[in-house]
């Protein structure tokens, strides 16, 4: 097999050597090399290597950004105003980390769309210095620079080496080899993309895993220049600087593409729900990714326990939506977590009937919800549930996996971490917990760190690691990191949906979104305890009007208020608001003991809904200055308006006479359709003459 692959790459290189242009691709982009006879790409290095343009933070398999692009760059049928720079020789227009194995273009992988692969391969910016076996240290020469102006955007990779296994590197202990200097130039005047290749030494990357091309935000729209090939082979003068240019189509085409943008949260990431908690309102966001307006699809949103039929189903109609716009649906049917539905659930949204949609791959999206029993003294939080998915480890042993875990309640005491180790060949590992107080909620403060020696590792099996200093968190979540002590140890993974999207890879202490985040979870979890707040009061349910009931008349609003804390509570406000109307506030003077509930009926009733109007939300909540925990303060019900049927429409036209009656009662202007009338009953003394559906009926009374 190895020899076969080598032959394939050799053939590909020879084939591409003879080509100097390609395309047009699905959208109309074409590419040209430096040696094209009539329309060559001109090599012109844009020198931006200055201190003020230096890009900090690149490592091994990570991204940094965003960097502003102003004015925006026209790319495919849309404009981009932000760029993320990847350590592996690409730039993206969304924050997605791309690592080996690198995707070909176009790719239908949702996560890997919307990027430019200048020299996308396994490059390495980290570490800055490495101690080598021969003694001393050697510095990684890799540098990156970014510059933006009114006419172009430039990203330069300077002397960036390939990653290499430090155990097989000729210089033992060094994680890089060779150097590569190239740059990506985005021309804002004509929308061309030029790749300048300045220098490369004789070193090679692993398995010739190299991709060059461009990819739109639609999975099926992209164009590839080459795969598995080095760029000095394209130049008429081997080893000399050369260039590659991507030209856009002369006129943009009409693109129809509507997508499920996210479920539940804008990151579409997994969450935990308490089995004894509040009903969870389901949300989904739909976006028009095309350049034309769109209308006429059905939004189907289902929530299903793993391996089971849907427990909650919703349908909605997607009306007109402009190009680039999005809309959020607050779904009518909510999810009520309970002890009967513990474990993972899939929130699946699908678009049906999207006529003319050019990319069906983004018409379906899943999100994970895990229901946990928060009544137990110890509660386990983890996203991996189905064993048998294999394991992960990193070549060279200098890597790890992290999972972000956010409790469904606060305060939460973290007592231990758990790691299922599939296999081990004499390696240790570190168990670390980080707060989410880093930049934009990333891993920040180290809260706990424990080393599990090789002799202590259970493999295969679950390894419970007690925290060195149990920590209590009052908001947010934590990152739990498993880091290899050496090669030969494997962490168990789960490849069975639903997938959380909450996994990260850590290589040489550089963090990045896990390269296969959409398809894999890992057996990393924490054990926590629920610590009650001293003062914690909230609305636990709305008794009347009941959820999904019809509000045809004015009703009193009655709520149940629960004391979740350990102190008594009194003299607090309780509020309700219906359909963005006026907030009604009343004061509760009754003393509520810890763990007890009281019912409160508002003096001000809720008005009836207009027949035929859309469903609306009624929310009630407490306001208590001593309460530091807002999570359980509020409860909401969805209410429906009376339907506008034939009976309501026709009542005003019906004539009944005489009144008072003399024994005969006439009813005129009845609708042609059947209407509900009193059944003929000999014992009642009533008799109906005529047939049901006639315009006039005579009753003998």
């Amino acid at each position: 097999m190895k020899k076969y692959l080598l032959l394939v790459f050799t053939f590909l290189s020879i084939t591409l050597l003879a080509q100097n242009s390609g395309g047009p691709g699905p959208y109309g982009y074409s590419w040209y090399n430096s040696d094209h006879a009539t329309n060559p790409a001109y090599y012109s290095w844009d020198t931006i290597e200055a201190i003020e343009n230096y890009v900090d933070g690149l490592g091994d398999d990570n991204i940094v950004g965003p960097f502003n692009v102003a004015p925006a760059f026209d790319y495919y049928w849309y404009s981009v105003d932000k760029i993320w720079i990847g350590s592996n020789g690409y730039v993206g227009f969304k924050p997605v980390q791309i690592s080996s194995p690198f995707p070909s273009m176009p790719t239908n992988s949702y996560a890997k769309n919307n990027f430019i692969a200048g020299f996308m391969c396994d490059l390495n910016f980290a570490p800055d210095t490495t101690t080598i076996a021969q003694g001393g240290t050697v510095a990684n020469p890799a540098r990156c620079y970014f510059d933006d102006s009114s006419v172009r955007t430039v990203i330069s990779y300077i002397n960036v080496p390939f990653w290499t296994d430090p155990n097989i590197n000729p210089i033992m202990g060094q994680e890089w080899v060779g150097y590569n200097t190239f740059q990506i130039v985005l021309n804002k005047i004509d929308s061309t993309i030029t790749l300048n290749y300045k220098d490369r030494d004789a070193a090679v990357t692993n398995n010739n895993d190299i991709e060059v091309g461009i990819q739109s935000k639609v999975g099926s729209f992209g164009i590839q220049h080459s795969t598995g090939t080095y760029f000095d082979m394209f130049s008429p003068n081997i080893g000399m600087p050369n260039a590659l240019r991507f030209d856009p189509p002369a006129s943009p085409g009409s693109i129809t593409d509507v997508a499920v943008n996210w479920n539940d949260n804008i990151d579409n990431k997994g969450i935990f729900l308490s089995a004894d908690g509040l009903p969870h309102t389901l949300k989904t966001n739909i976006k028009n990714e095309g350049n034309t307006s769109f209308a006429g699809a059905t939004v189907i949103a289902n929530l299903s326990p793993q391996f089971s039929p849907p427990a909650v189903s919703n349908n909605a109609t997607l009306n007109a939506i402009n190009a680039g716009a999005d809309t959020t649906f607050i779904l009518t049917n909510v999810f009520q977590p309970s002890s009967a539905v513990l474990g993972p659930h899939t929130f699946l949204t699908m678009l049906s009937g999207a006529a003319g949609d050019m990319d069906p791959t983004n018409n379906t999206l899943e999100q994970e919800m895990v229901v946990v029993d928060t009544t137990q003294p110890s509660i386990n939080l983890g996203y991996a549930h189905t064993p048998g998915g294999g394991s992960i480890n990193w070549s060279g042993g200098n890597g790890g996996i992290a999972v972000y875990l956010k409790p469904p309640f606060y305060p939460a005491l973290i007592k231990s971490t758990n790691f299922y180790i599939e296999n081990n060949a004499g390696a240790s590992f570190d168990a670390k917990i980080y707060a989410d107080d880093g930049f934009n909620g990333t891993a920040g403060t180290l809260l706990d760190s424990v080393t599990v020696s090789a002799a202590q590792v259970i493999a295969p099996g679950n390894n419970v690691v007690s925290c060195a200093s149990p920590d209590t968190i009052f908001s947010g979540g934590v990152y739990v990191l498993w880091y290899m002590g050496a090669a030969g140890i494997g962490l168990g993974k789960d490849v069975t949906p639903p997938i959380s999207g909450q996994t990260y890879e850590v290589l040489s202490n550089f963090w990045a979104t896990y390269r296969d985040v959409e398809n894999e979870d890992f057996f990393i979890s924490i054990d926590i305890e629920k610590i009650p707040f001293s003062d914690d009061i909230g609305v636990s349910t709305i008794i009347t009007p009941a959820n999904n009931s019809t509000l045809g008349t004015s009703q009193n609003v009655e709520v149940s208020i629960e004391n979740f804390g350990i102190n008594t509570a009194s003299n607090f406000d309780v509020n309700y608001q219906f359909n963005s109307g006026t907030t009604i506030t009343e004061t509760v003077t009754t003393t509520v003991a810890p763990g007890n509930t009281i019912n409160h009926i508002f003096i001000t009733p809720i008005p009836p809904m207009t027949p035929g109007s859309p469903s609306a939300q009624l929310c009630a909540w407490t306001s208590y200055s001593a309460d530091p925990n807002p999570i359980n303060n509020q409860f909401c019900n969805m209410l429906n308006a009376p339907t506008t049927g034939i009976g309501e429409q026709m009542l005003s036209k019906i004539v009944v006479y005489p009144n008072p009656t003399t024994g005969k009662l006439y009813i005129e202007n009845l609708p042609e359709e059947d209407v509900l009338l009193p059944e003929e009953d000999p014992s009642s003394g009533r008799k109906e003459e005529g047939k049901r559906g006639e315009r006039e009926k005579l009753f003998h009374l």
Side-chain angles (χ1 to χ4, degrees):
M1 178 61 79
K2 183 176 181 181
K3 184 177 179 179
Y4 173 75
L5 289 174
L6 178 61
L7 290 174
V8 170
F9 283 123
T10 301
F11 173 78
L12 182 61
S13 300
I14 294 173
T15 302
L16 291 175
L17 181 62
Q19 298 180 352
N20 52 36
S21 65
Y27 184 72
Y29 274 89
S30 300
W31 59 261
Y32 302 88
N33 283 344
S34 297
D35 55 346
H36 192 272
T38 60
N39 190 23
Y42 292 103
Y43 173 87
S44 179
W45 187 266
D46 196 336
T47 303
I48 63 168
E49 296 90 279
I51 295 177
E52 62 270 20
N53 294 333
Y54 179 70
V55 176
D56 196 15
L58 289 171
D60 182 15
D61 294 345
N62 75 329
I63 59 171
V64 295
F67 298 89
N68 291 326
V69 177
F73 175 69
D74 292 332
Y75 186 59
Y76 280 85
W77 60 92
Y78 49 94
S79 297
V80 293
D81 59 4
K82 289 181 173 55
I83 277 183
W84 285 260
I85 299 175
S87 64
N88 287 326
Y90 68 93
V91 297
F93 303 115
K94 64 180 185 179
V96 175
Q97 193 265 123
I98 308 176
S99 306
S100 181
F102 296 98
S104 299
M105 289 150 279
T107 173
N108 287 330
S109 172
Y110 181 78
K112 295 175 180 176
N113 297 340
N114 222 11
F115 64 88
I116 297 172
F119 187 40
M120 190 165 66
C121 55
D122 200 358
L123 303 175
N124 191 6
F125 279 81
D128 290 333
T129 58
T130 294
T131 302
I132 59 177
Q134 291 86 339
T137 61
V138 60
N140 187 335
R143 296 292 183 268
C144 183
Y145 300 88
F146 168 88
D147 187 59
D148 181 67
S149 72
S150 61
V151 296
R152 90 294 182 259
T153 302
V154 182
I155 304 94
S156 295
Y157 293 77
I158 309 296
N159 293 328
V160 185
F162 300 114
W163 179 89
T164 188
D165 190 334
N167 297 313
I168 61 175
N169 193 310
I171 304 177
M172 294 298 293
Q174 185 172 301
E175 292 187 333
W176 63 84
V177 61
Y179 56 85
N180 302 276
T181 297
F182 59 96
Q183 69 180 186
I184 301 170
V185 182
L186 311 181
N187 190 317
K188 299 179 183 180
I189 306 302
D190 60 10
S191 300
T192 59
I193 302 164
T194 299
L195 309 177
N196 291 314
Y197 301 102
K198 187 175 186 178
D199 198 12
R200 183 183 73 83
D201 77 348
V204 296
T205 187
N206 294 321
N207 302 317
N208 283 347
D209 191 7
I210 306 171
E211 304 292 338
V212 178
I214 61 176
Q215 177 74 45
S216 76
K217 63 182 178 181
V218 171
S220 57
F221 283 14
I223 181 170
Q224 185 160 283
H225 169 267
S226 56
T227 181
T229 306
Y230 295 92
F231 300 99
D232 56 6
M233 300 182 71
F234 299 114
S235 176
N237 302 308
I238 303 297
M240 298 297 291
N242 56 93
L244 166 65
R245 190 186 70 250
F246 291 88
D247 290 355
S251 59
S254 178
I255 302 297
T256 300
D257 180 38
V258 63
V260 184
N261 198 27
W262 52 261
N263 288 334
D264 187 78
N265 56 82
I266 60 174
D267 297 318
N268 200 65
K269 292 185 176 181
I271 62 171
F272 296 99
L273 299 175
S274 172
D276 60 341
L278 304 177
H280 188 76
T281 301
L282 302 175
K283 299 179 293 184
T284 188
N285 182 271
I286 310 300
K287 185 175 183 180
N288 186 345
E289 297 281 14
N291 58 2
T292 61
S293 61
F294 182 89
T298 300
V299 181
I300 304 171
N302 298 326
L303 184 83
S304 308
Q306 192 178 37
F307 311 123
S308 300
V312 181
S313 297
N314 285 276
N315 284 5
T317 300
L318 177 64
N319 296 316
I321 181 171
N322 294 328
D326 66 282
T327 182
T328 299
F329 289 87
I330 308 297
L331 302 172
T332 302
N333 296 326
V334 301
F335 174 51
Q336 178 59 69
S338 71
S339 58
V341 289
L342 298 175
H345 291 65
T346 300
F347 180 13
L348 170 65
T349 299
M350 301 172 289
L351 292 174
S352 176
D357 194 314
M358 305 184 69
D359 184 27
T361 63
N362 56 17
N363 289 5
T364 301
L365 189 64
E366 294 182 350
Q367 186 245 350
E368 182 173 10
M369 296 180 179
V370 182
V371 180
V372 294
D373 188 354
T374 55
T375 64
Q376 299 300 310
S378 180
I379 302 153
N380 181 262
L381 298 183
Y383 286 112
H385 301 276
T386 306
S391 64
I392 188 171
N393 57 19
W394 301 104
S395 298
N398 191 19
I401 289 290
V403 177
Y404 182 70
L405 304 167
K406 184 178 180 180
F409 57 81
Y410 303 101
L413 176 66
I414 305 175
K415 298 193 66 179
S416 57
T417 55
N418 300 270
F419 309 87
Y420 190 91
I421 305 301
E422 284 281 1
N423 49 75
N424 189 28
S428 62
F429 71 85
D430 290 332
K432 298 178 181 288
I433 303 176
Y434 294 85
D436 60 356
D437 56 359
F439 179 71
N440 283 341
T442 57
T445 304
L446 179 63
L447 302 177
D448 197 78
S449 180
V450 177
T451 298
V452 181
S453 68
Q456 296 173 306
V457 174
I458 302 171
N462 185 53
N463 293 255
V464 181
V465 184
S466 297
C467 293
S469 56
D471 196 81
T472 302
I473 59 173
F474 296 89
S475 64
V478 293
Y479 293 86
V480 183
L481 171 64
W482 170 84
Y483 204 87
M484 303 168 58
I489 187 171
L491 175 69
K493 61 182 179 180
D494 178 8
V495 296
T496 303
I499 303 299
S500 70
Q502 296 279 24
T503 53
Y504 300 84
E505 58 185 65
V506 184
L507 302 175
S508 302
N509 296 318
F510 286 88
W511 290 63
T513 301
Y514 177 59
R515 64 194 64 194
D516 205 9
V517 65
E518 293 184 326
N519 300 308
E520 296 178 9
D521 273 319
F522 295 92
F523 284 93
I524 299 175
S525 63
I526 56 175
D527 297 314
I528 62 175
E529 291 182 0
K530 190 175 184 179
I531 302 176
F533 285 95
S534 297
D535 299 284
D536 190 9
I537 199 87
V539 175
S540 58
T541 189
I542 298 176
I543 301 171
T544 59
N547 187 48
N548 283 326
S549 63
T550 299
L551 188 63
T553 61
S554 177
Q555 290 190 39
N556 289 323
V557 177
E558 183 178 4
V559 300
S560 179
I561 301 170
E562 184 173 350
N563 187 348
F564 301 100
I566 59 177
N567 294 335
T568 59
S570 63
N571 295 310
F572 54 85
D573 289 340
V574 61
N575 320 266
Y576 84 79
Q577 185 184 42
F578 178 59
N579 197 24
S580 302
T582 302
T583 298
I584 306 301
T585 301
E586 297 178 8
T587 300
V588 177
T589 58
T590 305
T591 297
V592 188
N596 286 4
T597 61
I598 63 168
N599 293 347
H600 177 81
I601 301 175
F602 285 87
I603 298 174
T604 303
I606 185 173
M609 298 179 67
T610 303
S613 61
S615 299
Q617 193 173 57
L618 168 67
C619 290
W621 68 95
T622 54
S623 302
Y624 187 32
S625 60
D627 185 354
N629 180 30
I631 294 227
N632 55 14
N633 288 359
Q634 180 173 281
F635 193 94
C636 297
N637 280 350
M638 293 299 296
L639 302 180
N640 304 311
T643 57
T644 306
I646 294 174
E648 289 91 348
Q649 295 173 352
M650 299 300 297
L651 279 177
S652 62
K653 301 178 183 180
I654 293 174
V655 179
V656 181
Y657 66 93
N659 184 19
T661 183
T662 58
K664 294 182 178 180
L665 181 67
Y666 292 87
I667 304 177
E668 294 183 355
N669 297 328
L670 290 172
E672 296 292 340
E673 295 83 355
D674 287 350
V675 295
L676 183 61
L677 294 172
E679 296 292 335
E680 185 175 341
D681 183 359
S683 64
S684 68
R686 298 190 300 259
K687 183 180 179 181
E688 175 187 344
E689 292 183 8
K691 298 179 180 179
R692 202 175 284 270
E694 293 180 345
R695 300 289 295 175
E696 180 178 341
K697 297 184 184 250
L698 169 63
F699 292 86
H700 296 274
L701 304 179

